[in-house]
Amino acid sequence: MSQPLQGERILLGVCGGIAAYKAAELVRRLREAGAQVQVVMTAAAGHFVGAATFQALSGRPVRDSLWDANAEAAMGHIELARWATRVVVAPASADAIARIAHGHADDLLATLCLVATAPLAIVPAMNHRMWLHPATQANVATLKSRGALAIGPDVGAQACGEFGPGRMCEPDAIVAALVAAHAVAGGDPLAGQRVLVSAGPTYEDLDPVRYLGNRSSGKMGFAIAAAAAELGAQVTLVAGPVHLPTPAGVHRIDVRSARQMHAAVLGALPQDIYIGAAAVADFMPARVAEHKIKKPTVSSDSGLTVELVRTPDILAEVAAHPQRPLRVVGFAAETAALADSARDKLRRKRVDAIAANRVGVTGSGFDADDNALDVYWRQTDGSETMAALGPTSKAVLARELLQLLLDRVPAAPTQDTP
Ligand code: C5P
């Protein structure tokens, strides 16, 4: 089935009005079109349709209050607004349109509309006299002048027994209008681009049962691969040993050691973007014992000395490769002097950007679901700059990182590829 809204995360505001029943069908159609849908109901909407219906159809608990401590703890309203790639209000009542146009923040939906920077679509549904009133027309004009899309209303028989403009458009027509807006807005900013991501730890074997590893969970790299696929890229994910599902639409290559990761990453070139989010071991045992290393049978104080040798620096090799991607991004995970080491890596490894895990942020780090990044890059005039992203979920952060790469980080000059 074609999914023209794949990658869209739609905040669907449902207002009080008889047309609210059609919003249930709209949720179903939006999901069939590939969008994720988070329903936000106004207080009046609950008089027309139950939250359980929307919850079942959207697969997410409905949000209906600014003051729901549990829901806010799971995802605060600011984060919810940032999560959205599109805000759709359907049905949009005359009152909701007025409050959104005037910047009110007295309920959850109005507040989200004020916070969200994602494009807004309203699907008006009201009595035709309310629709034709100059106040409503002025409010709709205000929203349109700010870039909002108004879908409908249809003209026809109304629930009140009157006839005129004010009927909410049918779900199919709403989805079609959103698909068209998605295509015009270039909803797939990475369409046609090849993105290579490396993620997770590497394990360097000492013998058949022991290895040197690290605590990387791979969550950040997997989130980046998922976000790149959602933005339309053709994504290859080289994954170290992790227990994470493969994101939809992503080609995954599993590896274990730094050497295997090196071979897989270089073998996947050419690419347009490389993001090295893996925690690659810097050293590996010089030799892998063929059999399990035994402890001495005679008691003695002697320990075991293992000779370690350097692993290949995958990131630096990709950045120096004749088929260098246009954008090469590395990660920095240090416990001290983060800024200095990030800037140093930017220069030494000749990459276009370094995303440094901000230390000291609660809930961030290797196995956490949230993270915060300081991204360093060089501008076209050669000066270095930094943007702080998060703290937020790794999913949102991944999207913000890709957006920053596309919008602000200059691509390296094209290489003379043989
Ligand atoms: O120098 P450092 O290892 O701290 O740099 C981290 C960055 O370099 C990360 O992006 C990591 O994926 C990459 N790296 C690599 N190959 C190595 C070591 C690190 O690609 N052997």
Side-chain angles (χ1 to χ4, degrees):
M1 191 194 306
S2 103
Q3 297 206 305
L5 292 179
Q6 174 90 42
E8 289 276 7
R9 294 188 297 269
I10 296 180
L11 249 182
L12 178 64
V14 180
C15 304
I18 184 61
Y21 79 92
K22 287 194 202 171
E25 177 67 9
L26 177 61
V27 173
R28 211 167 66 84
R29 294 295 166 92
L30 290 172
R31 294 205 62 198
E32 280 170 5
Q36 297 176 54
V37 182
Q38 169 66 60
V39 175
V40 175
M41 294 172 75
T42 63
H47 293 292
F48 295 89
V49 189
T53 303
F54 288 121
Q55 173 160 343
L57 291 169
S58 67
R60 291 166 178 271
V62 169
R63 299 287 296 262
D64 58 6
S65 166
L66 269 171
W67 312 111
D68 180 338
N70 288 337
E72 282 288 316
M75 196 196 275
H77 60 277
I78 303 289
E79 198 184 342
L80 189 55
R82 285 167 64 178
W83 170 88
T85 56
R86 197 167 285 278
V87 180
V88 179
V89 184
S93 64
D95 180 60
I97 292 172
R99 288 187 304 112
I100 296 167
H102 289 88
H104 287 216
D106 51 357
D107 73 357
L108 180 61
L109 178 59
T111 306
L112 290 169
C113 288
L114 207 50
V115 178
T117 50
L120 170 70
I122 53 166
V123 191
M126 64 196 76
N127 169 273
H128 67 111
R129 293 171 204 274
M130 293 169 89
W131 170 250
L132 293 171
H133 194 284
T136 304
Q137 289 300 310
N139 291 334
V140 172
T142 299
L143 291 176
K144 281 186 177 175
S145 73
R146 295 184 196 138
L149 172 69
I151 304 172
D154 281 348
V155 179
Q158 300 209 286
C160 52
E162 298 185 3
F163 187 92
R167 279 168 62 106
M168 185 168 109
C169 288
E170 293 304 317
D172 277 349
I174 299 169
V175 172
L178 293 175
V179 168
H182 174 84
V184 171
D188 292 338
L190 285 174
Q193 300 230 30
R194 294 157 301 181
V195 176
L196 176 63
V197 182
S198 54
T202 63
Y203 287 177
E204 309 303 327
D205 289 337
L206 280 161
D207 67 19
V209 293
R210 303 185 181 95
Y211 60 83
L212 298 174
N214 64 68
R215 291 170 52 197
S216 166
S217 67
K219 284 181 184 170
M220 191 66 234
F222 272 60
I224 293 170
E230 282 176 9
L231 294 177
Q234 202 182 311
V235 184
T236 305
L237 171 63
V238 177
V242 293
H243 298 283
L244 292 173
T246 309
V250 167
H251 171 57
R252 172 174 179 171
I253 303 171
D254 285 308
V255 296
R256 179 173 171 85
S257 65
R259 284 238 292 255
Q260 289 172 356
M261 187 170 278
H262 174 257
V265 166
L266 291 167
L269 297 180
Q271 295 280 337
D272 297 298
I273 298 177
Y274 171 58
I275 302 182
V280 188
D282 292 321
F283 297 96
M284 60 186 177
R287 283 164 297 278
V288 183
E290 195 185 334
H291 298 289
K292 186 178 170 196
I293 302 168
K294 290 196 181 335
K295 45 179 182 289
T297 42
V298 187
S299 135
S300 85
D301 289 342
S302 68
L304 174 71
T305 302
V306 177
E307 188 192 346
L308 299 177
V309 294
R310 288 297 305 269
T311 53
D313 190 321
I314 306 167
L315 184 64
E317 279 195 40
V318 171
H321 199 276
Q323 291 181 310
R324 184 194 197 279
L326 282 179
R327 289 190 180 82
V328 176
V329 182
F331 268 69
E334 305 284 345
T335 48
L338 190 66
D340 289 346
S341 102
R343 286 178 191 278
D344 174 59
K345 267 175 219 174
L346 191 61
R347 290 173 212 139
R348 200 164 34 80
K349 301 205 183 198
R350 298 179 182 279
V351 296
D352 303 302
I354 284 284
N357 289 286
R358 205 180 311 150
V359 283
V361 176
T362 326
S364 77
F366 272 148
D367 199 33
D369 291 322
D370 283 9
N371 202 6
L373 294 173
D374 287 343
V375 185
Y376 295 81
W377 73 95
R378 237 184 325 278
Q379 305 189 92
T380 17
D381 64 2
S383 62
E384 285 171 12
T385 186
M386 189 273 271
L389 306 181
T392 182
S393 68
K394 287 182 176 171
V396 172
L397 205 57
R399 215 187 144 87
E400 289 183 355
L401 175 64
L402 290 172
Q403 207 62 57
L404 186 137
L405 277 185
L406 289 174
D407 295 346
R408 299 180 63 188
V409 177
T414 318
Q415 304 282 304
D416 293 325
T417 38

